[in-house]
Amino acid sequence: MIKLIATDMDGTFLDNKKQFDKSFIDLFFEMKEQGVLFVAASGNQYARLYQKFLPMSEDMYFIADGGSYIAKGPNTLEVFDMDRKKAFLAIERVKEHYPDFKIMIAGEKYAYARKKDHLTKELTTYYCSYKLIDDFDEIDEPITKIAILDPRGDIKNSAGDITRILPEGLQIITSGNEWMDIQREGVNKGLGMRYIQEHEHISRNECLAFGDQMNDYALLKSVKYGFAMENAVDEIKKLAYGITDSNEDQGCLKIIKKALRKNKEQAANDLL
């Protein structure tokens, strides 16, 4: 039986207007009735994810900031923050080599952008708990992620170049054609999933997950039933257990419905 369902948000669970279909609400309570856990796994901020799913949020797990922040409902379980010195060294090197790139920093509680970078629109799109500051040295909380915008949309080449200049112990994970994230090495959505699996004593064979971009690779690898969206990049499609319809065509909800139906059938057979 499926006991846990996890999904990426943008390009996967959410449509292109960044909304989820309201029919999910009934599915969520059906999951709850069956004892199936639901996990929102995203590069987005925990506070934003929690807000988006209210009032269901209290009964969900969250893998936020690309795996750096793990929470169950309103309770933080784990924060995989970066070494502060290495984080600021990485920022210096990116600014030196790519002065036109824009940078936002995710902290444990807030996200930050410099006023002079004019990133207010991007900041408010991905974060609901944020601060506009004069410079990054004003940040006085743990840093979970450095988000970098490549305005040229040449993410594959620039990500490779930046990887070579990163301090030891840091890594880059790409998301789409314009964004990449610097995080602590080994931190990803798959790490978050394994944390929850161990916390709930659930095996990978009892888990279902959805994704569309390379930052979902580790998430899909951490479960038996990893589904790629029709709009996913080729690398994710090759990895996937199966391919479902696009995010605009509610591919996630279609598979979730099938999984819950099969759970019911299996439960009924167990009673015979």
Side-chain angles (χ1 to χ4, degrees), residues 62-258:
F62 297 90
I63 300 173
D65 281 335
S68 298
Y69 194 107
I70 316 298
K72 183 178 183 181
N75 302 311
T76 301
L77 299 179
E78 190 68 66
V79 177
F80 299 104
D81 60 313
M82 302 166 65
D83 180 277
R84 188 178 179 85
K85 290 183 179 179
K86 291 182 178 181
F88 279 95
L89 180 57
I91 292 169
E92 286 180 15
R93 291 179 178 176
V94 170
K95 286 161 60 178
E96 178 184 350
H97 287 78
Y98 295 95
D100 58 325
F101 283 16
K102 304 296 185 181
I103 296 173
M104 295 189 296
I105 292 182
E108 184 174 344
K109 295 181 180 178
Y110 297 96
Y112 303 86
R114 299 185 303 176
K115 296 173 185 176
K116 62 183 178 183
D117 289 335
H118 306 292
L119 282 171
T120 303
K121 180 182 178 181
E122 289 81 3
L123 193 65
T124 55
T125 296
Y126 297 105
Y127 303 95
C128 65
S129 181
Y130 59 85
K131 292 182 179 181
L132 285 168
I133 55 180
D134 292 318
D135 217 334
F136 291 132
D137 57 11
E138 297 176 34
I139 299 172
D140 62 356
E141 65 167 321
I143 295 172
T144 57
K145 186 179 76 170
I146 301 167
I148 302 172
L149 171 63
D150 178 353
R152 304 170 307 180
D154 187 24
I155 204 75
K156 288 187 177 180
N157 288 326
S158 56
D161 291 341
I162 291 175
T163 295
R164 287 188 281 273
I165 61 174
L166 282 182
E168 186 178 354
L170 301 184
Q171 67 180 11
I172 277 190
I173 297 179
T174 61
S175 177
N177 296 319
E178 296 180 324
W179 289 96
M180 66 188 101
D181 295 330
I182 298 176
Q183 294 173 280
R184 195 166 97 188
E185 192 170 36
V187 174
N188 51 51
K189 295 179 186 179
L191 175 67
M193 175 60 85
R194 291 190 296 274
Y195 182 99
I196 295 171
Q197 288 168 338
E198 292 175 10
H199 190 75
E200 291 287 347
H201 306 290
I202 295 174
S203 76
R204 70 183 303 276
N205 293 339
E206 298 169 313
C207 297
L208 169 65
F210 302 93
D212 72 312
Q213 294 291 337
M214 288 308 294
N215 62 349
D216 300 315
Y217 189 94
L219 174 67
L220 269 58
K221 286 278 286 184
S222 68
V223 305
K224 179 177 180 180
Y225 304 103
F227 281 83
M229 312 306 293
E230 181 57 44
N231 52 287
V233 297
D234 288 341
E235 293 91 333
I236 293 298
K237 288 182 177 179
K238 291 175 184 176
L239 162 74
Y241 175 87
I243 298 173
T244 186
D245 291 340
S246 73
N247 63 315
E248 283 288 280
D249 292 325
Q250 308 304 323
C252 288
L253 299 191
K254 292 174 182 177
I255 298 297
I256 291 173
K257 287 177 185 177
K258 289 181 180 179

Side-chain angles (χ1 to χ4, degrees), residues 34-49:
Q34 289 191 18
V36 178
L37 300 175
F38 182 73
V39 183
S42 174
N44 288 344
Q45 182 185 48
Y46 164 66
R48 179 174 177 79
L49 294 171

Side-chain angles (χ1 to χ4, degrees), residues 23-75:
S23 64
F24 168 71
I25 296 173
D26 289 335
L27 282 178
F28 178 80
F29 287 105
E30 186 175 349
M31 281 188 274
K32 189 175 178 183
E33 185 178 330
Q34 289 191 18
V36 178
L37 300 175
F38 182 73
V39 183
S42 174
N44 288 344
Q45 182 185 48
Y46 164 66
R48 179 174 177 79
L49 294 171
Y50 190 88
Q51 183 185 67
K52 182 174 285 291
F53 283 97
L54 284 171
M56 298 174 285
S57 305
E58 291 192 5
D59 297 311
M60 290 171 51
Y61 272 98
F62 297 90
I63 300 173
D65 281 335
S68 298
Y69 194 107
I70 316 298
K72 183 178 183 181
N75 302 311

